[in-house]
Amino acid sequence: MKTQNPDHDAVDDITDQWAAVRPDLDTVPMAVFGRIYRLSNAMRGKVDKAYAPYGMALGEFDVLATLRRSGAPYTLSPRELTATLMITTGGMTGRLDKLEKAGLLTRSPDPNDRRGLRVTLTERGKELVDQAVGAGLGEQRAALEAALTPEEADQLAGLLRKLLATTV
């Protein structure tokens, strides 16, 4: 595991360089969002590796997890899934095809809309996503516990919620 100086990182190098050539700039926003971006990429890779033993990547996990979180009977329309996951309908179709072929979900006609479909998590899909979510959370928990106290993690979650609320 790579050990880093918690008082100076690659983002500091970037903001230091900007300060040298443009001392008039306030680079705090660059420091915050640069770290969020790098952290997101690093954790995406770790979580993807955690999902790999379950035969899925983050995209497939997201579909199964969305169905699982919806509660019994774990059924949503493709449109509801697409809106929740913010991907294109073409991207969603590809994911659904792969997951249906693997026996993790089924597609059936919508009884309330003869042109619509319903996507339902299978029992096998439910079991698999329940295992995978634990593995992914384990990676996230390990990263938090390596750097922050529980109180700091709660504070960070609150600050990020506040920031996110003003940017979307």
Side-chain angles (χ1 to χ4, degrees):
M1 183 161 107
K2 192 180 350 178
T3 307
Q4 294 203 339
N5 176 355
D7 297 324
H8 193 90
D9 63 13
V11 175
D12 288 319
D13 292 339
I14 292 167
T15 57
D16 289 349
Q17 290 168 341
W18 276 113
V21 298
R22 288 286 310 273
D24 58 307
L25 294 177
D26 172 12
T27 58
V28 171
M30 184 184 296
V32 170
F33 290 103
R35 287 186 179 97
I36 290 171
Y37 177 78
R38 287 169 181 252
L39 180 61
S40 176
N41 283 341
M43 288 310 300
R44 178 174 285 121
K46 288 178 183 283
V47 170
D48 247 347
K49 284 182 184 175
Y51 296 152
Y54 304 98
M56 65 182 86
L58 185 58
E60 290 85 26
F61 172 83
D62 284 344
V63 172
L64 298 175
T66 300
L67 289 166
R68 178 66 169 106
R69 291 190 324 263
S70 73
Y74 314 112
T75 301
L76 296 170
S77 71
R79 181 176 295 167
E80 290 168 321
L81 282 166
T82 301
T84 300
L85 298 175
M86 298 182 294
I87 63 171
T88 65
T89 55
M92 178 58 70
T93 299
R95 288 182 190 177
L96 294 178
D97 287 346
K98 180 178 178 181
L99 293 167
E100 185 174 39
K101 186 176 180 181
L104 303 177
L105 58 79
T106 60
R107 286 183 273 196
S108 57
D110 186 332
N112 301 314
D113 178 1
R114 62 187 179 108
R115 295 179 301 162
L117 290 174
R118 301 300 289 173
V119 179
T120 304
L121 191 62
T122 64
E123 188 58 35
R124 181 168 175 254
K126 181 178 174 279
E127 291 169 6
L128 201 62
V129 75
D130 281 351
Q131 293 171 11
V133 73
L137 279 171
E139 287 294 329
Q140 294 167 347
R141 183 177 301 105
L144 285 174
E145 290 175 351
L148 304 174
T149 66
E151 294 78 18
E152 289 171 328
D154 284 342
Q155 182 181 17
L156 179 59
L159 291 170
L160 290 172
R161 180 185 308 106
K162 186 176 181 179
L163 182 60
L164 185 60
T166 63
T167 58
V168 292

